[in-house]
Amino acid sequence: RRPWARPVHPDNMLSLLALTAALASRSAVTPSYLRLRGGDVDTVTNGMALLQVASGTFAFMAPERNIEMYGYDKEPTKVEVAMMRYLAVGQVVLGATSVAGLEGGSKAAQAMSLSGGAASLLACAPVFEALGGPKEPLAAWIAALAVLGKATRAGKVKSVVPGTVLGGIAAAQALVAPDKTWEAYKNKLPATEMALALFSLAGGNLLANTAYVAVADKQGHKKGLCAGLALLAANCVKFAVLDATRVGFKPAGAFVWGAITAAGALALKA
């Protein structure tokens, strides 16, 4: 096996620990993963968060195994492993953001989304570096998200609009034009169709997270989470129908994720 295909290099482990520490920065958030409290909103929020965090953690630690579980029967390339890890850390941020919103409202959710986004990019930095692209764009995104997240957490930024704009830009780039975005970041290694599909899927997840915060800020956590889960379900179905078979995956896994997230959205509307 090639060196990059080993489960976790020590540098990646350090980055993962940095991500874990950042997501645990709010003491009220971490215990919420460990329980399902009474009430539909609490149950759906914590249950979905637990699924996202558990799935994302596994996929980051063992990306090749995770790819295999979804029916891909070839050895994934370096780029495909990188995109699976990028998708995985996004799942962790999704779960952390929704629980932060349940516990502390939309501003807490926004702070977690931004700080978690910075930490997730930092966790992926060793992976992205191996792709041969310039470091400056990644450093700029990490700095912007970290600074805005800290300012939001401190109450210096009281609107969710700046974070929504940043999240919307990043999501649109990956979701709508993953190939053009890949080229814009000047990565030396070419992206495969599977890697681009995972990149687009990650963009859709980010869009759902951004929509959750934006809607929750105006209409409350329940409606925000319902909107976010509905978009997640649509993103999974889009991947299952348009991308999975085309790039070598079996669509069943994406359909299952779509059904689970759609069920969560319907439970909140009931």
Side-chain angles (χ1 to χ4, degrees):
R1 296 168 66 88
R2 301 174 186 173
W4 52 262
R6 294 169 187 163
V8 182
H9 187 277
D11 289 343
N12 290 344
M13 179 64 77
L14 289 175
S15 296
L16 183 60
L17 290 175
L19 172 63
T20 303
L23 295 181
S25 60
R26 286 180 56 89
S27 60
V29 174
T30 303
S32 299
Y33 293 138
L34 306 180
R35 67 186 188 280
L36 292 180
R37 305 183 309 177
D40 290 341
V41 177
D42 288 0
T43 300
V44 172
T45 301
N46 288 292
M48 290 296 170
L50 179 62
L51 286 174
Q52 292 288 353
V53 171
S55 175
T57 301
F58 175 79
F60 186 89
M61 298 292 288
E64 289 184 303
R65 174 59 179 151
N66 197 62
I67 289 171
E68 180 184 348
M69 288 173 61
Y70 284 94
Y72 194 73
D73 58 4
K74 302 176 183 178
E75 182 178 3
T77 68
K78 190 175 188 177
V79 175
E80 290 164 353
V81 169
M83 288 300 98
M84 176 54 73
R85 280 190 162 137
Y86 176 63
L87 175 65
V89 291
Q91 286 186 278
V92 176
V93 175
L94 271 171
T97 299
S98 62
V99 174
L102 174 66
E103 298 285 350
S106 61
K107 301 303 186 297
Q110 182 72 294
M112 179 59 75
S113 178
L114 293 165
S115 299
S120 68
L121 290 177
L122 182 62
C124 286
V127 180
F128 290 156
E129 184 177 9
L131 303 181
K135 299 178 182 178
E136 290 80 5
L138 179 62
W141 272 109
I142 292 173
L145 292 172
V147 169
L148 189 54
K150 182 177 181 180
T152 301
R153 190 163 53 251
K156 295 179 180 179
V157 175
K158 301 184 183 300
S159 172
V160 301
V161 172
T164 300
V165 171
L166 277 180
I169 291 173
Q173 285 180 332
L175 178 62
V176 177
D179 52 343
K180 299 298 183 183
T181 304
W182 187 268
E183 293 173 4
Y185 284 109
K186 302 185 184 303
N187 292 298
K188 293 181 180 179
L189 295 182
T192 64
E193 287 298 311
M194 191 258 269
L196 292 175
L198 293 177
F199 191 24
S200 179
L201 183 63
N205 287 353
L206 176 57
L207 180 64
N209 201 38
T210 302
Y212 156 66
V213 174
V215 175
D217 187 59
K218 300 296 184 183
Q219 302 182 49
H221 171 77
K222 181 177 180 179
K223 290 186 177 180
L225 184 60
C226 184
L229 289 174
L231 283 175
L232 280 177
N235 192 41
C236 291
V237 172
K238 173 257 180 188
F239 182 85
V241 173
L242 299 180
D243 296 327
T245 301
R246 175 176 62 84
V247 302
F249 285 114
K250 294 181 179 178
F255 277 125
V256 168
W257 270 108
I260 291 171
T261 49
L266 290 173
L268 293 174
K269 286 186 67 68

